[in-house]
Amino acid sequence: MSYVDNVLETVKAKNPAQPEFIEATTTVLNSLRPLLDSDDKYEKNAILERITEPERQIMFRVPWVDDNGKIQVNRGFRVQFNSAIGPYKGGLRFHPSVNLSIIKFLGFEQILKNSLTTLPIGGGKGGSDFDPKGKSDREVMAFCQSFMTELYRHIGKDTDVPAGDIGVGGREIGFLYGQYKRITGLYEGVLTGKGLTYGGSLARTEATGYGLVYLTNAMLKEAGKSMNGKTVVISGSGNVALYACQKAQQNGAKVVTMSDSTGWIYDPNGIDLDAMREIKEVKRGRCKEYIANHPKAEYHDGKGVWSVKCDIALPCATQNEINEDDAKMLVKNGCFAVGEGANMPSTPEAIKVFLDSHILFAPAKAANAGGVATSALEMSQNSERLSWTFEEVDSKLKNIMEGIYENISSAAKKYGCEGNLVVGANIAGFVKVADAMIAQGVC
Ligand code: NDP
Ligand code: 2IT
């Protein structure tokens, strides 16, 4: 049995009932085969066995009191996956679906994504099954304070630096930061995605969505194409989706869809982004509200953006949101490029459809790395106690995304898989972490 098959068998046996974690590790390990076949140092150093086992997994009780005076109990997580190339770095997700499998798949992906940024950050992820939707600001604050009352002892500016993800934005980061500072007395860059008045970086809010478009553009450019004049479908209507939409529109694209977990909008005139931002960022409302002032737009319950004819698809909601049938529909309708804004939005079967159809496919760990890259830039600014201008941060972000494209595209070529950016991203991300692990000995 090959090294990869052997380790995958062990990973499956050791992590039963963790489908998302198994999905992520299987995809990554399978795409490392050309590298592992060319050099046995990774097997000799048991790198796959070590990299698939988190350095530390923390699970804790999060009790808080709701507005009716009732005590609620949620479960908190922080998985400190790999610190070979820097302090653990990665977001916190607050969503009712959160469990250990989801946090571990996100943490595992984060190791390789953070490596691709070229910045010194290791991989981690955390969160809770708490649902911020429909909660008052006071309830969200009570939850965040309780969450940080346990988390604070495990994190620090040089050990582990959490940030946002689904359900965690500026409001939550503010409450979490306040509690960390209150308990420790430290005013330090322990979280990223902070508000601009207390150490946040300009352009961090925009970074994941902008970065997604910068990387997608680099991929289109190599194929002699561009976003200008193209029809784009976007899923989600959160942080990543909104700023992907903004940057795509700035590049001359027409974005015709956005969605949330209840339904989706199709606007043949192109999404009115100011209106969508008002609904989502200001009112914390639902996509459905968009049609009230946009008579040409349609609202549909459930899932459906992948049925809309488009040139380019940017999934920006959640994992496994594009299945095999969705992928076939996209390809049949003429979609020629997919850039993954969300983490693992395409199932393995969907990825196979994209690769077999030779459409341009930018995998999540490369395409959405702009968020964490800009988080690392926020850490640098905090360390030097300076803030850079929007243009400075944005131009660094653009350079980083173009560099990532260059790197993953050449890695794919080097290992005989030209055009397969899944292989390119996994190998390029892995090599740096694996070599650092080997240099640091058995740990
Ligand atoms: P937000 O919470 O801001 O937005 C999430 C969006 O996705 C909402 O529209 C939400 O709808 C929708 N969504 C979430 N879960 C589901 C679901 N199970 N089914 C259908 N729709 C869903 O999160 P972000 O925009 O920050 O994150 C989106 C994706 O991007 C995630 O995969 C995240 O891991 C990834 N990502 C985020 C980064 C960041 O910097 N924020 C960086 C890199 C990746 P609803 O409001 O109804 O729940
Ligand atoms: O998935 C991700 O890369 C994020 N949610 C951002 C992590 C970060 O530390 O900014």
Side-chain angles (χ1 to χ4, degrees):
M1 195 189 275
S2 77
Y3 179 39
V4 166
D5 291 328
N6 212 345
V7 174
L8 276 177
E9 197 162 277
T10 311
V11 169
K12 284 176 193 158
K14 278 172 90 173
N15 302 283
Q18 295 191 2
E20 294 84 3
F21 179 60
I22 305 281
E23 180 183 333
T25 46
T26 303
T27 301
V28 170
L29 268 52
N30 275 329
S31 62
L32 296 176
R33 288 178 197 271
L35 171 75
L36 301 171
D37 289 345
S38 72
D39 195 333
D40 66 358
K41 73 177 173 182
Y42 303 107
E43 181 169 3
K44 280 193 180 136
N45 285 281
I47 293 298
L48 295 185
E49 293 86 330
R50 287 196 273 154
I51 207 170
T52 51
E53 188 68 22
E55 289 176 17
R56 198 170 296 102
Q57 308 181 51
I58 302 147
M59 286 172 65
F60 50 99
R61 179 171 72 202
V62 190
W64 57 281
V65 178
D66 71 17
D67 285 348
N68 298 318
K70 191 166 180 287
I71 298 169
Q72 302 285 346
V73 180
N74 287 101
R75 184 171 286 178
F77 300 86
R78 186 72 185 166
V79 173
Q80 299 180 328
F81 224 117
N82 193 296
S83 61
I85 62 169
Y88 310 108
K89 180 84 197 87
L92 296 171
R93 176 177 292 189
F94 292 170
H95 192 272
S97 64
V98 163
N99 56 35
L100 190 58
S101 173
I102 289 182
I103 298 300
K104 280 175 65 183
F105 113 66
L106 290 163
F108 182 71
E109 287 286 292
Q110 200 82 45
I111 304 170
L112 304 183
K113 181 196 308 193
N114 293 3
S115 165
L116 289 175
T117 67
T118 70
L119 301 168
I121 38 179
K125 199 85 190 189
S128 174
D129 57 2
F130 173 73
D131 186 0
K133 230 176 275 159
K135 303 287 191 302
S136 68
D137 285 352
R138 194 211 61 81
E139 288 177 318
V140 171
M141 180 170 72
F143 173 81
C144 288
Q145 289 180 339
S146 180
F147 185 86
M148 186 53 86
T149 300
E150 173 57 34
L151 187 68
Y152 88 93
R153 70 188 82 243
H154 308 290
I155 62 176
K157 71 176 169 58
D158 297 315
T159 49
D160 184 357
V161 184
D165 192 81
I166 292 177
V168 178
R171 174 183 61 171
E172 291 74 20
I173 294 292
F175 294 148
L176 292 164
Y177 189 75
Q179 186 72 354
Y180 179 85
K181 179 165 64 67
R182 187 180 183 201
I183 296 173
T184 63
L186 298 171
Y187 205 105
E188 60 175 28
V190 66
L191 294 166
T192 59
K194 299 185 292 298
L196 298 178
T197 52
Y198 63 96
S201 172
L202 285 160
R204 175 62 188 89
T205 304
E206 293 83 355
T208 311
Y210 278 22
L212 169 63
V213 173
Y214 294 148
L215 189 124
T216 306
N217 276 344
M219 175 173 77
L220 294 173
K221 190 172 168 197
E222 196 178 6
K225 299 177 191 289
S226 89
M227 225 177 249
N228 192 23
K230 301 299 186 303
T231 300
V232 174
V233 299
I234 291 182
S235 64
S237 50
N239 173 264
V240 180
L242 291 171
Y243 293 95
C245 176
Q246 185 170 73
K247 189 49 78 180
Q249 289 179 343
Q250 285 171 9
N251 279 273
K254 184 174 179 188
V255 177
V256 293
T257 66
M258 289 194 107
S259 66
D260 58 26
S261 55
T262 19
W264 57 284
I265 293 288
Y266 169 67
D267 190 338
N269 292 336
I271 293 287
D272 172 353
L273 187 61
D274 288 342
M276 195 57 102
R277 284 182 62 192
E278 174 72 19
I279 293 166
K280 288 291 167 182
E281 294 183 324
V282 182
K283 288 161 55 186
R284 295 182 186 276
R286 309 302 299 160
C287 275
K288 191 174 190 172
E289 295 164 37
Y290 181 90
I291 48 169
N293 296 316
H294 298 83
K296 290 260 162 57
E298 299 166 15
Y299 173 79
H300 302 273
D301 274 324
K303 176 181 158 170
V305 301
W306 315 125
S307 65
V308 173
K309 189 172 163 49
C310 68
D311 301 306
I312 299 167
L314 303 176
C316 296
T318 195
Q319 65 274 358
N320 294 330
E321 57 171 314
I322 302 184
N323 62 28
E324 184 175 8
D325 289 342
D326 299 325
K328 284 183 178 158
M329 196 149 48
L330 281 165
V331 173
K332 185 167 147 268
N333 285 339
C335 171
F336 63 78
V338 176
E340 295 190 317
N343 283 305
M344 206 168 77
S346 314
T347 63
E349 297 77 24
I351 295 176
K352 186 168 184 316
V353 171
F354 294 142
L355 296 177
D356 288 352
S357 324
H358 299 288
I359 73 161
L360 303 170
F361 178 72
K365 64 175 66 66
N368 72 29
V372 74
T374 308
S375 278
L377 300 178
E378 182 171 329
M379 290 164 71
S380 299
Q381 293 168 77
N382 292 162
S383 295
E384 61 174 16
R385 299 190 192 284
L386 290 173
S387 357
W388 308 337
T389 63
F390 188 97
E391 290 68 30
E392 221 172 332
V393 180
D394 188 36
S395 99
K396 284 189 192 340
L397 167 64
K398 189 157 182 275
N399 283 335
I400 291 170
M401 299 314 294
E402 290 171 356
I404 293 176
Y405 179 73
E406 197 58 38
N407 186 15
I408 64 175
S409 167
S410 6
K413 282 181 200 138
K414 180 170 171 193
Y415 289 95
C417 300
E418 182 160 0
N420 183 335
L421 301 178
V422 176
V423 169
N426 286 328
I427 292 185
F430 174 82
V431 165
K432 181 178 171 190
V433 179
D435 289 352
M437 288 172 74
I438 293 170
Q440 291 170 26
V442 180
C443 57

